[in-house]
Amino acid sequence: ALQTLIDRGVLERRGNRGTFVTAPGVERPLNTVARKGIAEVVQQAGARPGSKLLYFEQTQASTRVAKLLKIQVGDALLAIRRLRTVDQKPFCIETSYIPAARVPELVAGDLIEGGSLYALLLARYQIEIESDEGTLSIVTMNDQEARLLEVEPGTAALVYRGVIFDTQGQPVEYLVSINHPQRVVFKLADSRVNSLH
């Protein structure tokens, strides 16, 4: 039984010291502004971020996504799906939906090298990410998601769905992030307000 949990990455053996619960690879801030892309969060934790582009395609905004992004139903959207890694281990699958009108001439090649999407938005389009608003829920991964995240089919995952806003308060991206159950924890920042009272 222990070996099965070790194989799944839930436990790890540390030489003669014993068997321990595996520390999560990524600690993702929840209620702080989203200025930092996931690559920066991983780097600041002393790990090596990576990204593999799974698909990049133009699609049309559904009624739901159009409302979230404040665009018209049927407007052109870029759908960008990436597998994110920490020290070469997959930890989340992220799908970004971005209004094509906001990022003219953005192509798959811009993201193949694993560069930061948010850094690219800032450098090329002067779009600075400031905040996000979303929800966390638990879903059962499908077979493809389980394979990509190296877990058993039917494993539960924490899924973040949110809208990312720029400094003008305009929606830039609708993000769906499927997170590995052992390699990611979400951290709530201290929300106390400093006051002079």
Side-chain angles (χ1 to χ4, degrees):
L2 276 177
Q3 189 57 51
T4 300
L5 291 172
I6 290 165
D7 293 342
R8 289 184 185 172
V10 177
L11 300 175
E12 63 183 357
R13 282 209 178 94
R14 296 184 192 160
N16 296 331
R17 294 188 312 161
T19 304
F20 297 84
V21 175
T22 307
V26 180
E27 191 175 85
R28 301 186 71 166
L30 244 192
N31 62 342
T32 55
V33 292
R35 285 190 194 101
K36 293 178 197 160
I38 193 68
E40 193 178 338
V41 169
V42 170
Q43 278 176 324
Q44 286 186 340
R48 194 168 75 251
S51 180
K52 179 186 177 187
L53 187 64
L54 300 174
Y55 69 69
F56 182 106
E57 60 191 27
Q58 188 161 310
T59 184
Q60 293 181 315
S62 66
T63 304
R64 182 170 169 272
V65 174
K67 185 177 178 184
L68 290 168
L69 292 174
K70 297 183 182 172
I71 59 177
Q72 298 298 310
V73 175
D75 278 2
L77 272 185
L78 292 182
I80 304 164
R81 188 170 232 213
R82 295 176 293 166
L83 178 66
R84 313 306 294 269
T85 60
V86 55
D87 293 335
Q88 298 184 315
K89 292 180 183 173
F91 71 90
C92 77
I93 302 163
E94 292 199 324
T95 309
S96 300
Y97 299 92
I98 301 173
R102 294 211 65 180
V103 288
E105 298 177 32
L106 183 68
V107 295
D110 294 323
L111 297 168
I112 283 176
E113 297 305 314
S116 165
L117 174 61
Y118 291 173
L120 181 64
L121 291 177
L122 180 59
R124 188 182 295 177
Y125 303 104
Q126 291 73 55
I127 296 172
E128 187 174 357
I129 300 302
E130 184 170 71
S131 60
D132 64 329
E133 184 178 299
T135 61
L136 271 177
S137 58
I138 296 172
V139 301
T140 300
M141 289 186 231
N142 64 33
D143 289 351
Q144 182 197 39
E145 292 161 350
R147 191 177 70 253
L148 287 168
L149 290 177
E150 300 174 354
V151 296
E152 295 292 315
T155 298
L158 266 179
V159 176
Y160 172 82
R161 292 180 179 88
V163 179
I164 313 300
F165 298 91
D166 64 15
T167 49
Q168 276 72 53
Q170 292 303 307
V172 175
E173 170 191 26
Y174 173 58
L175 175 68
V176 179
S177 178
I178 300 167
N179 294 271
H180 190 294
Q182 277 88 41
R183 294 183 185 152
V184 180
V185 293
F186 284 87
K187 180 182 180 182
L188 282 168
D190 188 344
S191 58
R192 288 175 296 183
V193 177
N194 293 329
S195 70
L196 300 172
H197 301 307

